[in-house]
Amino acid sequence: MRSATHARGAACAVVVALAATACGGGGGSGGESGVLSSSWGDPQNPLEPSNTNEVQGGKVLDMIFRGLKKYDPKTGKAEDMLAQKIDTSDSQNFTITLKDGWTFSNGEKVTAKSFVDAWNYGASLKNNQKNAYFFGYIQGYDKVHPDTGSQSADTLSGLKVVDDKTFTVALNQKFSSFPDTLGYAAFAPLPQSFFTDHAGWLAQPVGDGPYRIESYTKGSQMSLKKWDGYPGADKAQNGGVTLKVYTDSDTAYTDLIAGNLDLVDDVPASQLKNVKSDLGSRYINTPAGIIQTLAFPYYDSAWSKSGAEKVRTGLSMAINRKQITDTIFQNTRTPATDWTSPVLGADGGFKEGLCGSACDYDPAQAKRLIQEGGGLPGGQLKITYNADTGSHRMWVDAVCNSINNALGNDKACVGNPVGTFADFRNQIGQHKMTGPFRAGWQMDYPLIQNFLQPLYYTNASSNDGKWSNKDFDRLVDQANAQTDTAKAVSTFQQAEEVVRDNMAAIPLWYQNGSAGYSERLSNVALNPFSVPVYNEIKVS
């Protein structure tokens, strides 16, 4: 899954593949004819599909891979891509048939085995993949990825190759929305070269999407070129994309205005006051399936003890969301009133106001609840965030000011910056947080399940704070088993109410996608996931 914690910083590092450029972008706006340049941040991990759960790596996987499903760039709806059909009579056993003519960019055919081998690799405990949890509904997962001890099987018993074009999937419970999850990159197929020369594949990943990776220099740039042999209908409309690593989002924006960069896909908050006059119609501001939150380290007893839920709820009520979004984000953020996103719509599970009074700004009630809960752990709140983008410091300072005003103590809350995104994520992964930390979620597919289960289910893949609640888990399991969509959504909303009643994380605001582009480009758009639809961009 993708944590909406954008990677914006990395020091210049060793050459991973072939090309090298100056750190922080630079150079001409497009370089080669027909090739566009775009701001980017180094991925947290190598680009294995089942080991990438953050935005920057996800952007690349979306360009170099195609899976069984693909999410419509306008609506987000899951549509068949490599899948000819996905059949089931009971929402638990599925037969998947592939389309003809698909190959990887190295010429190898995409077969049923390409999917089954990839999923088995992703699920295996010994491979330590961050998205292993995604395969948890497939029969045999408890054997290949047990909660404790060593795995007793190397492959998922629920996966069977029937022939080159067909495989079957048996789940351990009903999961009616399972087909809609299969556009997520963790379910991508992998060529045999991934297994026979793993180090070589990691140095230059090979996929089946409209682009191929030509080179990558960590801390500098990645060069992707159009794959002329791509068999899909969504072929690249440009010659390629050069993703340039920036250590500061303001620098990326400055390079865009100076003509040294073609596309910035996250306009920094400090430039929002200028962006319309700078770019005019070349500025994009559109709703996206992203929510920003404050997460808590429940592995720290100070945050998991009885009464701490009052402190968390009090902190939520101490944050003046409207003032912060109006002042800092200028119509690119909307105060959150639930834990999902408005892009889901009511039918998809968004329920405006589900948070209730817990998300209302009420400083007097906030102070009372925090006192009733035993006060701030350690006497001071430190909000940890990565400092390699200016906007995080701005809003963290604003949140702390709001909390300090509510408590009548100008030292009650302070920001705790970590130098880079990679360091920040590593500290989170190593469970080193002692207080709330910047978090958020960029949806992988437009289902309410995607905003809840990966983040709050016990031991879920992106449950960074290690929150656990049996009632929540039970309701999620019940919702997944529903074959009626409306009933499933309703049950998920009951699970969301458990998140609310415990204030498992503090919802801050829904985030729009914002981007700006150069005069060289046309047909630029962001999809509902706030990612540029790179393959549709045209370069003049």
Side-chain angles (χ1 to χ4, degrees), residues 193-213:
S193 60
F194 177 90
F195 305 99
T196 58
D197 182 14
H198 193 221
W201 190 95
L202 290 179
Q204 196 163 15
V206 172
D208 64 334
Y211 294 92
R212 56 179 179 79
I213 296 175

Side-chain angles (χ1 to χ4, degrees), residues 32 62 81 104 126 203 235 299 322 338 364 378 456 465 530 535:
E32 295 180 59
D62 288 345
M81 195 63 184
F104 295 99
K126 65 184 177 183
K235 299 180 186 296
Y299 44 81
K322 185 176 190 308
D338 87 326
Y456 307 113
S530 187
N535 62 288

Side-chain angles (χ1 to χ4, degrees), residues 26 34 78 92 96 113 148 157 159 167 173 183 203 218 244 271 297 331 347 365-366 388 416 457 512 519:
Q92 185 168 354
I96 298 173
K113 189 174 186 294
T148 58
S157 60
L159 294 180
F167 67 103
Q173 69 167 68
K218 188 175 182 180
K244 295 187 175 185
Q271 299 293 345
N331 299 317
D347 290 343
Q365 177 72 343
D388 48 5
N416 181 38
Y457 197 92
N512 279 13
E519 293 178 348

Side-chain angles (χ1 to χ4, degrees), residues 450-511:
N450 188 236
F451 282 92
L452 298 177
Q453 186 167 352
L455 296 166
Y456 307 113
Y457 197 92
T458 301
N459 294 324
S461 58
S462 295
N463 187 347
D464 292 328
K466 295 300 178 183
W467 185 68
S468 180
N469 184 285
K470 291 181 179 179
D471 290 337
F472 175 85
D473 291 353
R474 174 180 53 81
L475 287 164
V476 166
D477 289 341
Q478 290 178 4
N480 281 327
Q482 294 283 0
T483 55
D484 179 87
T485 300
K487 290 181 179 178
V489 166
S490 176
T491 309
F492 274 121
Q493 288 172 338
Q494 292 177 45
E496 190 179 358
E497 290 171 359
V498 177
V499 172
R500 175 198 64 200
D501 294 343
N502 291 272
M503 196 52 70
I506 295 176
L508 295 173
W509 36 76
Y510 311 118
Q511 181 174 323

